[in-house]
Amino acid sequence: MQTRRHPLIAPAPGTQRELVSLHYGQPGAQKAYIQASLHGDELPGMLVAHHLRLQLGALEAQGQISGEIILVPMANPIGLSQFLLHGHLGRFELMSGENFNRHYPDQIAAVAAAVEPELGMDAAANVTVLRRALKAAVLAAPVDTELQSLRRSLLGLSCDADIVLDLHCDAQALMHLYTETPCWPDCEPLARFLRSRLTLLAQDSGDNPFDEACSQVWWKWDRHFNSQGQRFPIPQACLSVTVELRGATDVTHELAEADARHIVDFLRWRGLIAGDKPELPPAVGDARPLAGSMPIKSPVPGVLTFLKEVGAEVREGDVLAHVIDPITATVTELKSPVDGLFFARDFLRFANAGMRVAKVAGKQALRTGKLLGA
Ligand SMILES: [Zn+2]
């Protein structure tokens, strides 16, 4: 294992932070990139990364790592260090207010124009050319701020990978996945290995989150070159997935060790780790449109108490929670707008007016516009 350090732009003299990446195996074959806690206050991924490191270390000692695996065990040194009045604020950069998981740079058009003369009818050769040009463009893009330098370092490590796993968590939730629709055939086995009950599919959900920045280049290049008829075959060469490792306090050795083992099983199944291919576990869930994941909003402020646990299959009109005004004793029912899987809810128990407090995944795409929350 090789450790590499990537210094970020120093926001003030004497305060330089760095990103650390751990490298296993050799470049040349398939490449997997796994990062934890891009939202600095989402800790389950960091513990999974710790267990992955132990398991990958043992596999490396046995000479079993046949692909290239990059692990970034803590993807956001800025967010990890942001505390205000004893509260951890790891989702938005305090300087800019920007979400750490949005606004990854788009080099699609520039790379397409630069490499067009080198493309041909060999899909694998096209992938090699495009990956090399994309990585060069990502690393050459100018950055002015610490946050931009973090985004550039993360994308520079990941943008040429076959598999990208971005480990996050929700507030209180089931294990669930986000990926782009063209990635679903390659994601389906991962969902089985992770025992995930839900994968939310979208294409270009808005504001360029990290996972989509890695996967969308391929289907957008395919559309760019081939929408008027096949000119250059371009496969979906990157499976990029946001893995929501349940809720924010689901940080236990038992869960993390099993999650790490399931990721290793998937990597072995994909051929990045030598040895017998593990059997594909049975599917325990399905894929649904992100546009069908319905936020449950509280129209009033008050004390929030849930009547349903995450994991419940609910029907349209089922009461999921009560919001209680302690002054008037008014009880407001929050109902599911659809039949679906009640997969996530907030951990706060006071609702502001208009606050989104839970999510139910239905099977119909009902929402339009930007699909991700803040
Ligand atoms: Zn997150």
Side-chain angles (χ1 to χ4, degrees), residues 190-239:
L190 174 70
R192 292 187 188 215
F193 278 107
L194 290 174
R195 281 71 172 169
S196 168
R197 280 180 65 188
L198 174 67
T199 301
L200 293 164
L201 302 179
Q203 212 161 340
D204 219 348
S205 60
D207 287 340
N208 264 17
F210 173 82
D211 68 331
E212 294 187 11
C214 294
S215 54
Q216 70 176 1
V217 290
W218 298 103
W219 62 263
K220 285 192 174 176
W221 280 326
D222 181 39
R223 197 166 67 183
H224 174 86
F225 289 116
N226 300 318
S227 58
Q228 313 285 340
Q230 179 87 322
R231 292 168 64 208
F232 311 123
I234 294 169
Q236 180 59 45
C238 176
L239 165 65

Side-chain angles (χ1 to χ4, degrees), residues 162-184:
D162 300 271
I163 297 166
V164 171
L165 302 182
D166 189 12
L167 307 181
H168 288 247
C169 70
D170 210 302
Q172 293 183 329
L174 300 179
M175 158 88 78
H176 59 286
L177 313 178
Y178 292 85
T179 197
E180 288 199 293
T181 310
C183 293
W184 173 239

